[in-house]
Amino acid sequence: MVNYRLFYLLSVLAGPLLGSTVRAQNPFITNQFTADPSARVFNGRVYVYPSHDILATPGRGRVGWFAMEDYHVFSSANLTDWTDHGVLVTQNKVPWVKPDSYSMWAPDCGYRNGKYYFYFPSTPRDTTINKGFTVGVAVGDKPTGPFVPQPLPIKGVRGIDPNVFIDKDGQAYLYWSQGNIYGAKLKENMLELASEPQTLGELPTKGLKEGPYLFERNGTYYLTYPHVANKTERLEYATSTSPLGPFTVQGVLMDESPTGCWTNHHSILEFENQWYLFYHHNDLSPSFDKNRSIRLDSLFFEPTGAIRKVVPTLRGVGLTDARQKIQLDRYSRLSSHGASIAFLDTLNKFQGWKTVFASPQAWVQYNGVAFGKQALRTVTLRTQAAAGATVQLRLDGATGPLLAQVTVPKGSQWQEVKAPLTAFKPGTHTLVVSSQTNSPVAIDWVKFE
């Protein structure tokens, strides 16, 4: 039984602060629930516009179902350090939205002629407009807002999951889903349809399809979308030589969640000559998949233009500065015996995870640590070992150079233990941390100075 009141209170207490910085791997936002990430590059910086899951409680949405009342935007210059810019749009401040609908689902954002256009679906307060979902627009001068919602939703759009695409010739398109996936041209003002909605009918006819995201690469238009082909959503794609098709289904770009998260929703972005897939999973709420968290992994194309299937990782992308707290639980590899990952606090999962070493030679490997050029002299571990323990840190594999051997004192409480480095090697390396004793030891993070 989920204690909804306690869970909601804890989520509020651990909630985000305006302008707060989150350093994380996957999921890369860990101070609130996020889903349906739409990633965009504006002025050389990546902005992610997700939906914002909250836990529904009596009087606040439908208990046991999705609940979303507002939108945040996050940005990063390096895909590692993320800034929360706060709330962009909230349900009770949009003229046409039912103020207690809790249905601010997957959004998107586009830029044109000096303005930013934020597209979002919700339930209208006036059911003569639409009895289901429709899509509105809020306009801002900056990618972080403030955004001013238009008084009415877009006429002719019925559905959810808006996606905006501006072609190289300047023509803008809007895509959305409602049973099928639809597309239409947008007028120059980005606020009205310039053509009748068109059903993109070449896609699979069986199983739910939603969350369209279209992008262009080398003259090919890729329409990507979640699809329930079996039990839960996987990410698929189709291609065309035109933004509105006809499309040819090509295959799967990410398989169903191995842990059973029912939804997935994504965007695909090129940034500094590398392509990335933004998607979501229920990492911070493993027993309730209506509270999700956004993730990020690299995406690659075959020479033919086919998308190589993306395998989800905990490590994610980007380099981790050795001087920052390295979260070993977002590992690249984990020994099959004696090492495991667990929540630090099962009542407040926003606290994150710990790595538990239960036997000698249990190890964890974390790739992509940037040690820099200037020599580092010490390492600090936030650790816990009731009977005491010995931990080794090495570079570039289990037999690589020994960085430090750390003696962890006995104690049931978490403690920060500092030890000198026995060696230093500049540059970017793989970090391997292993236990050398029979007694269990847990590590929250590692940091070098």
Side-chain angles (χ1 to χ4, degrees):
M1 177 68 69
V2 178
N3 188 329
Y4 287 101
R5 187 173 298 277
L6 175 61
F7 196 83
Y8 174 71
L9 177 61
L10 288 170
S11 70
V12 170
L13 293 174
L17 300 173
L18 179 62
S20 62
T21 298
V22 178
R23 293 188 177 95
Q25 289 77 55
N26 277 335
F28 64 91
I29 302 299
T30 56
N31 62 355
Q32 60 187 280
F33 294 121
T34 49
D36 315 319
S38 176
R40 298 292 181 184
V41 178
F42 297 131
N43 303 315
R45 190 174 179 90
V46 175
Y47 292 82
V48 176
Y49 301 85
S51 52
H52 180 197
D53 287 341
I54 62 173
L55 191 74
T57 56
R60 290 175 54 87
R62 175 183 162 190
V63 174
W65 193 242
F66 301 101
M68 310 164 191
E69 63 182 339
D70 58 29
Y71 298 101
H72 286 238
V73 59
F74 303 85
S75 74
S76 177
N78 58 11
L79 302 179
T80 300
D81 304 311
W82 292 90
T83 299
D84 179 0
H85 297 280
V87 174
L88 294 182
V89 176
T90 189
Q91 64 181 6
N92 58 9
K93 295 182 179 179
V94 180
W96 61 267
V97 170
K98 185 181 178 185
D100 59 349
S101 61
Y102 295 92
S103 58
M104 307 291 275
W105 290 12
D108 196 6
C109 191
Y111 171 80
R112 182 167 219 159
N113 298 331
K115 297 287 185 180
Y116 295 87
Y117 297 88
F118 181 71
Y119 298 84
F120 59 96
S122 195
T123 305
R125 66 168 74 216
D126 183 357
T127 56
T128 63
I129 296 175
N130 196 334
K131 292 184 179 180
F133 278 79
T134 189
V135 172
V137 192
V139 184
D141 293 324
K142 298 179 181 179
T144 56
F147 283 90
V148 178
Q150 296 295 295
L152 293 172
I154 303 173
K155 186 178 180 180
V157 177
R158 180 181 179 182
I160 59 173
D161 303 340
N163 163 233
V164 62
F165 170 74
I166 302 178
D167 207 355
K168 289 183 284 189
D169 63 1
Q171 178 62 58
Y173 298 82
L174 186 69
Y175 302 85
W176 66 95
S177 58
Q178 184 70 36
N180 290 303
I181 292 177
Y182 301 88
K185 292 182 178 180
L186 281 169
K187 291 184 178 180
E188 180 76 17
N189 64 14
M190 303 291 282
L191 305 175
E192 302 171 89
L193 296 187
S195 66
E196 289 296 316
Q198 179 177 326
T199 302
L200 308 182
E202 306 84 16
L203 307 181
T205 56
K206 293 183 178 180
L208 175 68
K209 302 181 298 295
E210 57 181 356
Y213 191 88
L214 187 128
F215 67 95
E216 182 271 338
R217 176 182 179 270
N218 296 338
T220 297
Y221 296 88
Y222 292 77
L223 177 65
T224 61
Y225 52 92
H227 175 221
V228 180
N230 185 20
K231 293 182 179 179
T232 63
E233 290 184 340
R234 66 186 190 186
L235 301 182
E236 301 178 1
Y237 75 104
T239 59
S240 177
T241 57
S242 167
L244 292 175
F247 288 92
T248 301
V249 174
Q250 300 291 352
V252 177
L253 66 95
M254 177 174 277
D255 287 326
E256 294 181 347
S257 162
T259 59
C261 183
W262 190 80
T263 65
N264 200 351
H265 191 118
H266 68 295
S267 58
I268 292 174
L269 175 77
E270 184 180 24
F271 180 61
E272 296 183 347
N273 299 314
Q274 174 61 52
W275 288 85
Y276 297 97
L277 174 68
F278 292 75
Y279 61 104
H280 72 229
H281 190 56
N282 60 322
D283 298 82
L284 290 167
S285 180
S287 60
F288 183 64
D289 65 357
K290 309 302 184 290
N291 286 159
R292 300 150 301 175
S293 298
I294 54 179
R295 288 175 160 214
L296 165 62
D297 275 301
S298 297
L299 179 144
F300 300 92
F301 293 85
E302 303 292 354
T304 60
I307 299 175
R308 189 181 305 168
K309 190 179 291 186
V310 179
V311 178
T313 75
L314 294 176
R315 176 60 183 87
V317 303
L319 299 179
T320 299
D321 190 330
R323 297 166 180 81
Q324 296 179 356
K325 294 176 181 177
I326 302 169
Q327 305 290 343
L328 298 176
D329 48 79
R330 305 298 87 189
Y331 59 86
S332 302
R333 294 177 62 205
L334 188 72
S335 61
S336 57
H337 299 288
S340 61
I341 306 300
F343 283 105
L344 286 164
D345 183 348
T346 56
L347 291 180
N348 184 3
K349 296 182 176 67
F350 290 128
Q351 293 286 336
W353 298 268
K354 59 186 175 182
T355 307
V356 180
F357 303 86
S359 64
Q361 305 306 315
W363 54 267
V364 62
Q365 175 179 313
Y366 187 101
N367 296 350
V369 179
F371 284 86
K373 296 180 180 179
Q374 185 175 352
L376 302 174
R377 302 186 183 282
T378 62
V379 62
T380 301
L381 282 65
R382 185 173 188 263
T383 184
Q384 178 190 55
T390 301
V391 174
Q392 282 190 354
L393 293 86
R394 293 183 179 271
L395 291 183
D396 303 325
T399 60
L402 178 66
L403 274 181
Q405 182 158 300
V406 182
T407 300
V408 180
K410 297 179 181 180
S412 59
Q413 302 300 313
W414 286 97
Q415 54 186 318
E416 294 184 13
V417 180
K418 180 177 284 190
L421 297 186
T422 58
F424 174 78
K425 191 175 180 181
T428 299
H429 300 281
T430 294
L431 176 65
V432 177
V433 179
S434 62
S435 171
Q436 302 297 306
T437 48
N438 286 309
S439 54
V441 57
I443 299 176
D444 182 7
W445 49 258
V446 173
K447 182 174 71 172
F448 296 87
E449 295 175 308

